[in-house]
């Protein structure tokens, strides 16, 4: 390394991992907490229904199925209200920070890019199929554990055996499709995502490019576009009124902010992406994505 390079590296302290991955870290923590709660609540019978044996539990005490349905219905109602409130306040925050399906689909998307693309060999594709099957089974069982004793799948004498297997296979097929296509499910097919796009929403904060920068300042980087889970152009999408390319589709995940910091901070340059409450005025060429 030359003297100039050594001096440059010394004058440019490298950012910490947290500085360049802050929103990714906190999102993953939020997702994992939700998934752990979905596992713990039925396992410890805080709230659980067992349709296979026509019984239920609330806070560890056995109750009738009718009584056991109450907390489940309340939980569904709570999540419905949570989605509505989050959407009203800041758009699709539920998708970006709470939904366990979105988290698993995002992890699956990373595997898809590694094992299942135009240059993938048969072995890589087979690995992807296998991982998707295993993940789909586990994810389906996660939710079935709320409504039945999972041992029912091994006891053909139980009256619900056939019905449970039929329901499981149908659910597994839907989950497999979701995970196989990765984040495309969230972008195109997810009912909750579609609901949030077409219902009233308000974004108190939104990601966009710092007003003192132009698209040409990005050069050929475009890492924020490559890493956007919703396949948007985060630099200008807040100005676009479109369900698939505009702010309506954004899940407020902060990936674009993190990605820009990962690119710019190690070079001692100011990140181009930022959060804003009010969008700064931009000319039509910027909104159209024109660089000249």
């Amino acid at each position: 390394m030359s003297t100039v390079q050594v001096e440059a590296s010394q004058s440019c302290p490298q950012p910490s991992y947290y500085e360049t991955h802050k929103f990714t870290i906190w999102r993953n923590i939020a997702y994992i907490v939700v998934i752990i709660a979905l596992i713990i609540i039925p396992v410890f019978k805080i709230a659980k229904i067992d349709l296979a044996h026509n019984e239920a539990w609330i806070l560890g005490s056995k109750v009738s199925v009718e009584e056991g349905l109450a907390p489940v219905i309340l939980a569904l109602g709570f999540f419905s209200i949570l989605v509505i409130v989050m959407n009203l306040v800041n758009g699709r925050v539920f998708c970006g920070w709470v939904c366990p399906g979105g988290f698993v689909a995002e992890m699956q998307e990373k595997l898809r890019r590694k094992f299942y693309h135009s240059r993938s060999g048969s072995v890589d594709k087979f690995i992807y199929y296998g991982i998707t099957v295993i993940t789909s089974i586990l994810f389906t069982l996660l939710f079935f554990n709320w409504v039945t004793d999972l041992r029912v799948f091994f006891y053909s004498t139980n009256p619900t055996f056939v019905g449970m297997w039929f329901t499981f296979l149908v659910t597994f097929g839907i989950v497999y499709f979701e995970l196989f296509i990765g984040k495309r499910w969230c972008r195109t097919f997810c009912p909750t995502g579609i609901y949030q796009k077409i219902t009233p929403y308000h974004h108190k904060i939104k990601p966009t490019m710092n007003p003192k920068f132009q698209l040409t300042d990005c050069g050929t980087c475009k890492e924020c576009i490559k890493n956007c889970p919703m396949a948007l152009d985060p630099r200008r999408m807040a100005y676009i009124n479109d369900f698939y390319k505009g702010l309506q589709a954004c899940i407020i995940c902060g990936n674009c902010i993190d990605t820009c910091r990962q690119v710019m901070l190690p070079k001692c340059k100011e990140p181009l992406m930022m959060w804003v409450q009010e969008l700064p005025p931009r000319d039509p060429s910027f909104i159209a994505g024109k660089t000249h």
Side-chain angles (χ1 to χ4, degrees):
M1 183 181 292
S2 67
T3 304
V4 175
Q5 289 174 316
V6 171
E7 292 176 353
S9 63
Q10 290 175 343
S11 63
C12 183
Q14 295 301 291
S16 67
Y17 184 86
Y18 180 76
E19 287 180 278
T20 55
H21 295 79
K22 179 167 66 174
F23 296 106
T24 302
I25 291 171
W26 283 109
R27 282 180 68 227
N28 287 336
I29 290 174
Y31 277 137
I32 291 170
V33 167
V34 171
I35 291 175
I36 289 175
L38 289 174
I39 294 172
I40 287 177
I41 291 173
V43 165
F44 289 94
K45 297 182 178 179
I46 299 170
K48 180 178 173 64
I49 298 172
D50 183 0
L51 296 177
H53 298 95
N54 197 33
E55 54 191 19
W57 287 265
I58 298 177
L59 299 177
S61 300
K62 185 183 289 189
V63 296
S64 67
V65 171
E66 290 75 15
E67 292 175 303
L69 281 172
V72 175
I73 293 172
L74 286 174
L76 291 174
F78 170 77
F79 272 101
S80 299
I81 294 171
L82 184 65
V83 170
I84 294 170
V85 172
M86 284 185 164
N87 203 43
L88 285 172
V89 174
N90 214 59
R92 295 178 63 182
V93 181
F94 180 85
C95 297
W97 291 79
V98 180
C99 177
F103 172 71
V104 178
E106 195 166 322
M107 298 299 103
Q108 190 76 16
E109 180 79 13
K110 294 178 181 179
L111 292 171
R112 184 180 178 86
R113 292 179 182 179
K114 181 176 181 179
F115 293 107
Y116 198 90
H117 49 79
S118 57
R119 298 185 300 278
S120 297
S122 299
V123 174
D124 284 347
K125 289 183 177 180
F126 182 78
I127 291 173
Y128 184 72
Y129 290 134
I131 292 174
T132 306
V133 168
I134 293 171
T135 307
S136 299
I137 291 173
L138 293 175
F139 196 64
T140 304
L141 289 176
L142 171 69
F143 289 98
F144 264 75
N145 194 39
W146 276 75
V147 296
T148 191
D149 184 336
L150 296 180
R151 290 175 294 181
V152 69
F153 293 109
F154 301 97
Y155 293 105
S156 59
T157 54
N158 189 285
T160 64
F161 178 80
V162 174
M164 282 294 178
W165 265 108
F166 176 78
T167 308
F168 175 84
L169 292 174
V170 171
T171 306
F172 166 80
I174 296 171
V175 172
Y176 182 86
F177 173 71
E178 171 188 350
L179 298 186
F180 186 84
I181 63 176
K183 210 61 178 174
R184 185 183 169 194
W185 167 268
C186 303
R187 294 194 290 265
T188 308
F189 300 104
C190 178
T192 306
I194 294 171
Y195 163 80
Q196 291 177 88
K197 288 179 183 180
I198 64 177
T199 51
Y201 60 88
H202 176 70
H203 291 80
K204 291 190 70 67
I205 60 169
K206 38 206 165 268
T208 192
M209 181 180 281
N210 189 313
K212 65 183 177 182
F213 295 115
Q214 296 294 328
L215 294 177
T216 50
D217 295 314
C218 282
T220 58
C221 171
K222 297 185 178 179
E223 286 297 316
C224 62
I225 300 174
K226 298 174 187 175
N227 286 280
C228 176
M230 307 309 289
L232 303 171
D233 183 343
R235 303 170 300 176
R236 58 189 184 87
M237 60 89 187
Y239 295 88
I240 301 172
N241 184 22
D242 183 90
F243 285 158
Y244 298 102
K245 297 181 180 179
L247 190 60
Q248 297 98 318
C250 177
I251 59 174
I252 319 296
C253 64
N255 268 9
C256 53
I257 308 291
D258 278 350
T259 300
C260 193
R261 294 173 70 86
Q262 291 163 24
V263 173
M264 305 304 286
L265 289 181
K267 302 176 183 177
C268 279
K269 294 183 178 180
E270 182 180 357
L272 282 66
M273 293 297 301
M274 62 182 297
W275 296 107
V276 300
Q277 291 187 338
E278 298 295 332
L279 286 175
R282 288 288 194 176
D283 58 70
S285 62
F286 174 89
I287 299 172
K290 298 178 180 178
T291 56
H292 299 289

